[in-house]
C-alpha cells in the first residue's frame, strides 16, 4: 500500500523535479523477414514492424494519463539490419527507408537498429552495409544507426574503426544544411548491449525474444533535489541518499514496464535505470556533481564524484526491479545536459576530461560537437581511445561526435528538442593517421580469457 506521503512525494518528483519515463522501447526481431531480395525483405519488415507496434503509442499514452507519469518517448529497436540484408548489402538502404516510414506512421520518436556488429572482423557484406550509413541517415528522419567495433572478449577491430571516421565525416557532410544532424543518430560502440532502450544506440539483439518491452527511466532532477536537502552530509550519506532516490525512480519504471508489457501482450524485458539528462534546467547530471561540492563540472574531483553517483544509482536501482539491463548508470551527453553545455561554454570541461569520466560512467563521448575540419583519422583515434577504455574495463563505451561542417571552436550549434545545443569543442591536432592506418585487430586483454 502507498501512504499519503508516498503519493505526495511522487507528485512532487513529477511536477517539480522532472521525473519521467524517458522511453518505452519495443524490441522486434526481423530475422523472420529475410527474403530472396531487398524489395521483398523490405515489404516483410514494414508489415512486421507496423503489426507489432501498432498499439505501442496508444498504450504508452494511456499509461501516462492513468498513472500521471510523463512518458517522453515511444521507440522501436530492431535486429541489426546488416544481418537481415547480408545477401544484398548494397540495397540495405531500402530496408532502412521503410523502417523510417513505419516509425512515422506509428508516431514513433526514433527507431534504432540500422546497425552492424563488427567487433572481431568486417565481412564483405558488413563493409558494404557500413558504406550505406551516411546516405541512409541523411535521407531519413527517425532512423538511428550504431556500429559495435570492439569488445572485451574480441578486442578492437581497427579496420572498422578506420572506416567509421570517414563514415561520420560523410554523414556530417550530407547533412551540413542541418549542422551535421545525421551524426546525432550514429553511435560507435565497444561492448554494445542487446537490450538498450536508449537512442541512438538501441538494437534488438539476436539472443533476445521475438519481441520485448524495455523501459528507460530518468530522474537527474530528483537526485539533485534530494542532495540539496543534505548539504552538510558526508559522501557516505550522500551515496545512501542517491541509492534510496534511485530505488524510487526505478520502481516507477518497473511499474510502467510491466503494465505496458501486459497490455501489449509482449514479454517484459528490462528496466534501464540510467540518469539521462535533458537541456531543461533542473534536469542535469552535471548539476548533481556540482551539488556534491564541485565548483564546476570538469574540475578536479569530477571523475570521483561521477564514479560515486554511477555506483549508487546502480545499487539503488538493482533492488527496485526484477530485471535491470541496458546501460544503467549516468549519462554525460554534452549537448543534452544544461550543466555540461554551460561548463563547455565557459571552457571548464574538455574532451580529455570527458574521456576520463567515461571510465566510470555509462556510455562515453556523447553528443559532442567538434570542428568540421577535424580529420577522419582524428575521429577514428577518438573512437579507438573510447573502445580501449571499454575493452579493458569490461564496460560499454561509445562515441557520438558531430564534426559540424563549416564551423569551428567558438561557434555553437542548435539541434533542438532533447538533442539540445552545443558549443564546438577543440580536439587535439596531433596526426593519428599512421596509427589508425595500420589496421588489424587490437587483441583482447588477458583478463578476457575466462572459461
Amino acid at each position: 500500500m502507498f501512504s499519503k506521503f508516498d503519493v505526495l512525494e511522487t507528485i512532487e518528483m513529477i511536477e517539480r523535479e522532472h521525473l519521467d519515463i524517458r522511453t518505452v522501447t519495443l524490441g522486434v526481431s526481423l530475422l523472420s523477414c529475410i527474403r530472396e531480395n531487398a524489395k521483398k525483405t523490405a515489404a516483410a519488415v514494414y508489415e512486421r514492424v507496423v503489426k507489432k507496434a501498432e498499439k505501442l503509442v496508444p498504450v504508452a499514452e494511456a499509461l501516462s494519463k492513468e498513472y500521471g507519469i510523463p512518458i517522453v518517448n515511444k521507440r522501436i529497436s530492431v535486429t541489426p539490419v546488416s544481418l537481415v540484408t547480408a545477401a544484398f548489402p548494397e540495397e540495405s538502404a531500402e530496408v532502412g527507408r521503410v523502417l523510417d516510414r513505419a516509425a512515422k506512421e506509428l508516431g514513433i520518436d526514433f527507431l534504432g537498429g540500422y546497425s552492424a556488429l563488427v567487433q572481431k572482423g568486417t565481412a564483405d557484406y558488413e563493409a558494404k552495409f557500413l558504406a550505406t550509413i551516411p546516405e541512409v541517415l541523411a535521407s531519413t528522419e527517425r532512423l538511428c544507426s550504431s556500429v559495435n567495433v570492439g569488445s572485451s572478449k574480441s578486442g578492437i577491430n581497427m579496420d572498422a574503426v578506420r572506416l567509421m571516421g570517414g563514415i561520420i565525416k560523410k554523414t556530417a557532410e550530407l547533412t551540413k544544411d542541418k549542422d551535421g544532424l545525421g551524426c546525432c543518430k550514429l553511435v560507435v560502440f565497444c561492448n554494445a548491449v542487446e537490450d538498450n532502450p536508449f537512442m541512438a544506440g538501441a538494437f534488438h539483439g539476436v539472443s533476445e525474444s521475438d519481441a520485448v518491452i524495455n523501459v528507460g527511466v530518468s530522474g537527474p532532477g530528483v537526485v539533485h533535489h534530494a542532495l540539496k536537502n543534505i548539504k552538510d552530509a558526508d559522501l557516505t550519506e550522500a551515496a545512501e541518499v542517491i541509492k534510496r532516490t534511485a530505488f524510487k525512480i526505478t520502481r516507477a519504471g518497473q511499474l510502467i514496464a510491466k503494465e505496458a508489457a501486459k497490455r501489449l501482450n509482449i514479454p517484459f524485458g528490462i528496466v534501464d535505470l540510467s540518469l539521462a539528462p535533458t537541456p531543461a534546467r533542473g534536469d542535469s547530471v552535471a548539476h548533481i556533481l556540482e551539488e556534491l561540492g564541485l565548483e564546476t563540472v570538469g574540475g578536479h574531483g569530477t571523475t570521483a564524484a561521477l564514479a560515486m553517483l554511477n555506483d549508487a544509482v546502480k545499487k539503488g536501482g538493482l533492488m527496485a526491479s526484477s530485471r535491470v539491463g541496458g546501460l544503467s548508470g549516468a549519462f554525460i551527453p554534452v549537448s543534452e545536459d544544461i550543466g555540461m553545455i554551460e561548463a563547455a561554454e565557459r571552457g571548464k570541461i574538455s574532451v580529455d576530461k570527458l574521456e576520463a569520466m567515461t571510465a566510470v560512467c555509462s556510455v562515453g563521448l556523447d553528443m559532442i560537437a567538434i570542428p568540421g575540419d577535424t580529420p577522419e583519422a582524428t575521429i577514428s583515434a577518438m573512437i579507438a581511445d573510447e573502445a580501449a577504455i571499454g575493452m579493458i574495463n569490461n564496460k560499454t563505451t561509445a562515441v557520438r561526435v558531430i564534426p559540424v561542417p563549416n564551423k569551428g571552436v567558438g561557434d555553437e550549434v542548435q539541434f533542438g528538442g532533447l538533442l539540445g545545443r552545443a558549443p564546438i569543442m577543440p580536439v587535439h591536432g596531433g596526426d593519428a593517421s599512421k596509427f589508425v592506418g595500420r589496421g588489424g585487430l587490437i587483441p583482447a586483454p588477458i583478463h578476457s580469457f575466462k572459461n
Side-chain angles (χ1 to χ4, degrees):
M1 292 291 291
F2 291 103
S3 69
K4 184 186 296 185
F5 175 79
D6 291 328
V7 173
L8 292 174
E9 184 181 46
T10 302
I11 292 171
E12 175 102 356
M13 287 179 179
I14 293 167
E15 292 186 348
R16 299 186 184 181
E17 300 165 17
H18 300 278
L19 173 64
D20 60 51
I21 303 300
R22 187 55 48 85
T23 179
V24 174
T25 301
L26 170 64
V28 180
S29 173
L30 300 183
L31 295 177
S32 63
C33 300
I34 299 172
R35 304 290 187 270
E36 64 269 25
N37 59 51
K39 186 175 182 179
K40 290 183 178 179
T41 299
V45 164
Y46 176 81
E47 182 180 356
R48 177 165 173 76
V49 169
V50 169
K51 184 176 181 180
K52 280 286 184 183
E54 61 182 347
K55 296 180 181 178
L56 178 60
V57 172
V59 164
E61 290 177 348
L63 287 170
S64 183
K65 289 179 182 178
E66 288 177 33
Y67 290 96
I69 301 177
I71 298 176
V72 180
N73 291 290
K74 282 71 70 175
R75 297 167 172 170
I76 297 172
S77 63
V78 299
T79 306
V81 170
S82 69
L83 302 178
V84 179
T85 61
F88 36 84
E90 298 94 335
E91 300 173 86
S92 298
E94 188 160 351
V95 174
R97 281 189 278 269
V98 300
L99 286 169
D100 190 61
R101 179 159 61 92
K104 290 178 187 177
E105 293 184 13
L106 292 165
I108 298 299
D109 300 283
F110 288 109
L111 188 152
Y114 199 78
S115 305
L117 309 177
V118 292
Q119 58 267 27
K120 198 169 184 180
T122 310
D124 289 345
Y125 75 88
E126 298 280 15
K128 293 174 183 176
F129 171 84
L130 294 178
T132 70
I133 290 175
E135 188 274 327
V136 169
L137 291 182
S139 61
T140 57
E141 294 179 23
R142 309 185 189 200
L143 186 68
C144 295
S145 178
S146 60
V147 180
N148 193 63
V149 298
S151 75
S152 296
K153 195 70 176 174
S154 303
I156 303 171
N157 180 356
M158 289 299 293
D159 293 316
V161 169
R162 176 179 53 80
L163 288 174
M164 290 312 301
I167 288 167
I168 290 170
K169 285 279 286 188
K170 186 173 181 181
T171 302
E173 185 62 28
L174 290 177
T175 55
K176 63 183 178 181
D177 58 325
K178 299 178 182 177
D179 287 328
L181 181 65
C183 294
C184 297
K185 303 185 293 174
L186 174 58
V187 183
V188 186
F189 277 116
C190 177
N191 288 323
V193 296
E194 296 187 321
D195 55 5
N196 170 22
F198 286 101
M199 299 296 166
F203 63 88
H204 186 71
V206 294
S207 67
E208 294 284 315
S209 303
D210 185 59
V212 69
I213 289 290
N214 297 321
V215 165
V217 298
S218 187
V222 181
V223 175
H224 187 197
H225 182 81
L227 290 174
K228 282 184 175 181
N229 295 326
I230 56 160
K231 289 186 178 294
D232 296 324
D234 65 20
L235 292 176
T236 304
E237 184 177 346
E240 286 299 313
V241 168
I242 295 168
K243 282 165 57 179
R244 290 196 296 270
T245 306
F247 180 90
K248 296 171 186 176
I249 294 168
T250 308
R251 289 304 286 176
Q254 171 89 357
L255 172 66
I256 295 297
K258 299 208 80 170
E259 191 61 30
K262 179 181 176 182
R263 297 188 187 189
L264 291 167
N265 195 30
I266 291 172
F268 160 56
I270 57 92
V271 174
D272 185 318
L273 47 92
S274 296
L275 293 182
T278 71
R281 194 162 298 279
D283 199 28
S284 164
V285 169
H287 287 163
I288 295 174
L289 303 180
E290 291 170 354
E291 189 63 39
L292 287 168
L294 301 174
E295 180 183 6
T296 178
V297 67
H300 294 300
T302 299
T303 305
L306 182 59
M308 189 194 79
L309 171 64
N310 203 61
D311 181 65
V313 166
K314 289 177 184 288
K315 287 174 177 174
L318 282 168
M319 294 298 294
S321 176
S322 57
R323 294 181 188 171
V324 170
L327 300 169
S328 288
F331 290 176
I332 53 170
V334 174
S335 78
E336 298 175 359
D337 184 311
I338 186 62
M340 291 289 185
I341 293 168
E342 292 174 346
E345 288 174 336
R346 299 192 306 268
K348 297 297 185 180
I349 194 163
S350 66
V351 173
D352 289 343
K353 187 59 177 178
L354 287 164
E355 181 182 304
M357 293 164 69
T358 63
V360 299
C361 76
S362 298
V363 197
L365 297 177
D366 195 17
M367 287 302 292
I368 299 173
I370 60 176
D373 61 0
T374 303
E376 293 178 13
T378 298
I379 297 173
S380 293
M382 294 170 73
I383 294 169
D385 284 344
E386 273 302 301
I389 291 173
M391 176 184 71
I392 295 296
N393 292 291
N394 198 30
K395 69 184 293 294
T396 303
T397 52
V399 171
R400 183 166 47 151
V401 295
I402 306 98
V404 184
N406 305 316
K407 290 192 176 182
V409 177
D411 294 325
E412 185 176 89
V413 61
Q414 297 273 352
F415 296 121
L418 286 176
L419 298 176
R421 63 183 173 89
I424 309 296
M425 299 182 71
V427 298
H428 289 293
D431 184 10
S433 58
K434 184 174 181 180
F435 171 70
V436 171
R438 285 177 177 269
L441 186 76
I442 293 180
I446 187 66
H447 60 249
S448 70
F449 296 102
K450 299 176 182 178
N451 289 306

